Amino acid sequence: MGCNKQCCLIATAIAGLIMAILGGVLIPIGNQLVYDGVKTDAVLTPDSVAYEAWLEPPVPVYMEYWVWDLRNPEQFKQGAVPVLEQKGPYAYREYLAKHNVIHNPNGTISYRPSTTYVFDREKSVGPESDTFTTVNLVAFTLASFFKYTGTIPQSAVKLIHELSKAELTLELSVYDILWGYEDAYLKLFQDELGEDVIPFTKFGLFLGTNGTQGVIWTVYDGVNDLSKLNVVNVWDGYEKLPWWTTPWANMINGTDGAAFHPYIQEDELLYVYVPDICRSGYMLFDKWTKIKGIPVAEWYVPSDLYANPEEVPDNIGFCTPDKYSCVPTGLINVTECYFGAPIFFSSPHFLYGENLLSTVEGLQPVEDEHKIYFALEMLAGVPFEIDNRIQINLKVEPYEFLPLSQGINALYYPVIWLNESSGLDQENADLYLSDVIMPQRLLYAMTYILLGAGAGMFFGATIALIRLRISNKVSPV
């Protein structure tokens, strides 16, 4: 009986040791299996799981616009602070696609992206025909161009303005400001110079972008180096940007924000190249949370992106045309890459630009509502929620040759702000849980069960054997 008990304990200890060793061996093997599976699924090759989603995102993407309605246009022209009222959102469903995809032999992919916008009345506060009052963007843009280039005498500029009969402020519809309205200056130029010279008379912030293909992007496919997955190699023929004054500022860093490399770490700087602001920016880790049961990490764009060089010295490279032309904290100057138009981006409601709030009335920045936010699944590097927010501002100032502008104060006038957003729907969340998360959890559970149970059996049986031998030694003969 004693021998049988001892043999049983020895067998249990051996079995437990084998299970523990198997569990320990499975940890690196399991990690390698997961890595290989993630790489196979994530790389941008036609046979990967991620490829079709990269070509056309499976989750709904929306662009929402809020316009700033000028409530005191006459007082504003006389020097009063502009009183602004936010109207929105006006929502459009975005249909994103990539065209003319070419897989290059150096491990990159070239393509042309397109975005088609379809108005969504249910998600909007009103129809596209809703109107608001704003400044005449073309008038101030032309005035700025003529003043700072000096190509046309001021008397001629004044005559152009008078002949155009353009107003300093305009009442426009939401559709007008986005997709185009007939502009008085462009109509005058076309009438005088002909359609061959001036082929169009419409102006809109996003005129010509709906459904049209953009410039060529070239990104890494991640096959040779997974850490470079979707990282921009060349944009519109540029390996570095031509607009800024330092090599650092002109670097094209990061991805387009649609996908990142797998195995993201909390201490990383996640770079994104943003053509709209003509530069790269980066995001920082904030905290962990869950979306539909899936662990994700929240990332945000820090205020450094909008800081004056006195606060962030590296930003001196974004002062154009020289270091004496830096803008106040809270603004991003894109005049150089917008053909001289006095356009300045900011966060909505001048979040991060507290010094700008005294120049306007009606803005109320709230960080959670106005910051840029990404929720990333860190293993695959996939965004599960995005709120990509930005505000478009126009620098207005008095011009001698622009009637009725002499009384206004120089300021950065908010025109519109927008949020490009997407969120994981339940169908894709369930698919991700069943196809990605659950197999990993089962693999790791099996590994640690083997390791834990095996170690428990080994040590338990070993202790029992020791006790049995001690008991046999002290037993009376």
Side-chain angles (χ1 to χ4, degrees):
M1 178 68 75
C3 179
N4 290 340
K5 184 175 182 181
Q6 184 173 332
C7 292
C8 218
L9 288 173
I10 291 172
T12 300
I14 293 172
L17 181 61
I18 293 172
M19 288 173 64
I21 292 172
L22 183 60
V25 169
L26 279 178
I27 291 176
I29 293 176
N31 288 338
Q32 187 62 45
L33 287 172
V34 171
Y35 177 84
D36 291 343
V38 168
K39 181 176 181 179
T40 301
D41 291 344
V43 294
L44 300 178
T45 57
D47 57 346
S48 74
V49 172
Y51 190 71
E52 289 301 320
W54 177 76
L55 288 175
E56 294 188 22
V59 298
V61 182
Y62 290 91
M63 182 70 83
E64 298 172 297
Y65 299 96
W66 288 259
V67 295
W68 287 109
D69 186 21
L70 179 61
R71 306 300 295 171
N72 62 335
E74 297 308 316
Q75 294 86 344
F76 165 69
K77 295 173 189 175
Q78 297 170 14
V81 170
V83 177
L84 302 173
E85 181 180 330
Q86 174 181 282
K87 297 178 71 173
Y90 296 92
Y92 292 79
R93 172 74 184 272
E94 285 188 343
Y95 294 89
L96 308 174
K98 294 178 174 66
H99 309 270
N100 305 327
V101 178
I102 299 174
H103 292 265
N104 304 308
N106 64 344
T108 63
I109 311 175
S110 299
Y111 63 90
R112 288 183 181 272
S114 72
T115 305
T116 300
Y117 301 88
V118 178
F119 185 65
D120 190 324
R121 179 64 182 87
E122 290 186 3
K123 289 184 175 291
S124 304
V125 297
E128 293 175 291
S129 57
D130 280 358
T131 60
F132 71 107
T133 301
T134 189
V135 295
N136 189 329
L137 277 73
V138 178
F140 281 103
T141 296
L142 289 175
S144 175
F145 178 80
F146 291 141
K147 175 180 178 179
Y148 292 106
T149 61
T151 54
I152 298 179
Q154 291 190 9
S155 57
V157 177
K158 185 175 182 179
L159 178 61
I160 290 171
H161 178 78
E162 291 174 349
L163 290 173
S164 72
K165 299 179 181 179
E167 298 290 336
L168 199 64
T169 59
L170 299 173
E171 183 176 339
L172 301 173
S173 70
V174 172
Y175 181 93
D176 290 340
I177 193 67
L178 296 177
W179 313 118
Y181 61 93
E182 185 166 271
D183 175 72
Y185 292 99
L186 295 176
K187 182 68 169 62
L188 172 65
F189 295 153
Q190 188 182 79
D191 289 344
E192 296 298 323
L193 302 175
E195 291 187 13
D196 292 339
V197 179
I198 308 295
F200 54 86
T201 61
K202 285 191 172 185
F203 169 81
L205 290 174
F206 303 99
L207 178 67
T209 63
N210 193 352
T212 57
Q213 295 183 20
V215 301
I216 297 175
W217 291 65
T218 300
V219 302
Y220 289 98
D221 60 20
V223 173
N224 298 327
D225 185 350
L226 197 58
S227 68
K228 286 187 174 182
L229 178 68
N230 203 39
V231 169
V232 180
N233 173 237
V234 179
W235 176 81
D236 195 22
Y238 295 112
E239 293 184 358
K240 60 181 181 179
L241 300 173
W243 302 298
W244 312 117
T245 58
T246 64
W248 179 82
N250 277 319
M251 293 176 68
I252 298 177
N253 290 323
T255 75
D256 63 352
F260 299 88
H261 67 81
Y263 292 95
I264 298 171
Q265 303 299 310
E266 293 179 10
D267 59 353
E268 286 189 53
L269 299 181
L270 283 184
Y271 280 90
V272 178
Y273 174 61
V274 187
D276 289 339
I277 63 172
C278 314
R279 59 183 281 192
S280 298
Y282 63 89
M283 298 188 295
L284 299 175
F285 172 81
D286 185 13
K287 62 184 179 182
W288 285 96
T289 186
K290 284 189 175 183
I291 295 177
K292 295 180 171 59
I294 303 172
V296 296
E298 294 187 4
W299 292 71
Y300 70 98
V301 173
S303 59
D304 289 1
L305 181 70
Y306 309 92
N308 184 276
E310 292 183 2
E311 301 174 24
V312 179
D314 281 343
N315 285 352
I316 191 70
F318 299 110
C319 297
T320 57
D322 52 46
K323 65 181 181 179
Y324 303 106
S325 306
C326 301
V327 295
T329 287
L331 295 170
I332 298 173
N333 183 1
V334 295
T335 300
E336 193 74 18
C337 57
Y338 276 71
F339 309 103
I343 299 294
F344 297 79
F345 287 108
S346 70
S347 51
H349 288 251
F350 287 145
L351 180 69
Y352 310 129
E354 184 178 356
N355 53 309
L356 301 166
L357 292 173
S358 61
T359 64
V360 294
E361 185 178 321
L363 277 65
Q364 297 178 328
V366 178
E367 187 167 24
D368 285 343
E369 296 178 10
H370 301 136
K371 70 179 180 180
I372 294 175
Y373 156 87
F374 276 60
L376 302 178
E377 202 285 313
M378 300 274 272
L379 178 67
V382 178
F384 277 3
E385 277 188 0
I386 297 175
D387 282 303
N388 190 15
R389 303 173 173 118
I390 202 164
Q391 181 169 287
I392 301 173
N393 310 283
L394 182 77
K395 187 177 183 181
V396 300
E397 56 184 309
Y399 296 95
E400 291 183 7
F401 46 83
L402 192 59
L404 302 178
S405 74
Q406 290 88 346
I408 68 171
N409 293 313
L411 57 91
Y412 299 93
Y413 182 93
V415 178
I416 190 172
W417 73 272
L418 54 90
N419 179 24
E420 186 177 33
S421 63
S422 67
L424 186 68
D425 55 29
Q426 192 61 55
E427 180 182 354
N428 282 288
D430 292 341
L431 187 65
Y432 197 85
L433 280 167
S434 62
D435 290 0
V436 179
I437 300 297
M438 290 310 297
Q440 292 173 20
R441 288 177 178 174
L442 288 172
L443 176 62
Y444 288 129
M446 188 189 323
T447 299
Y448 289 108
I449 286 172
L450 283 171
L451 184 60
M457 288 170 62
F458 174 75
F459 288 114
T462 301
I463 292 171
L465 274 170
I466 293 171
R467 287 178 175 175
L468 180 62
R469 290 188 176 184
I470 293 173
S471 174
N472 288 338
K473 285 182 179 180
V474 300
S475 296
V477 180

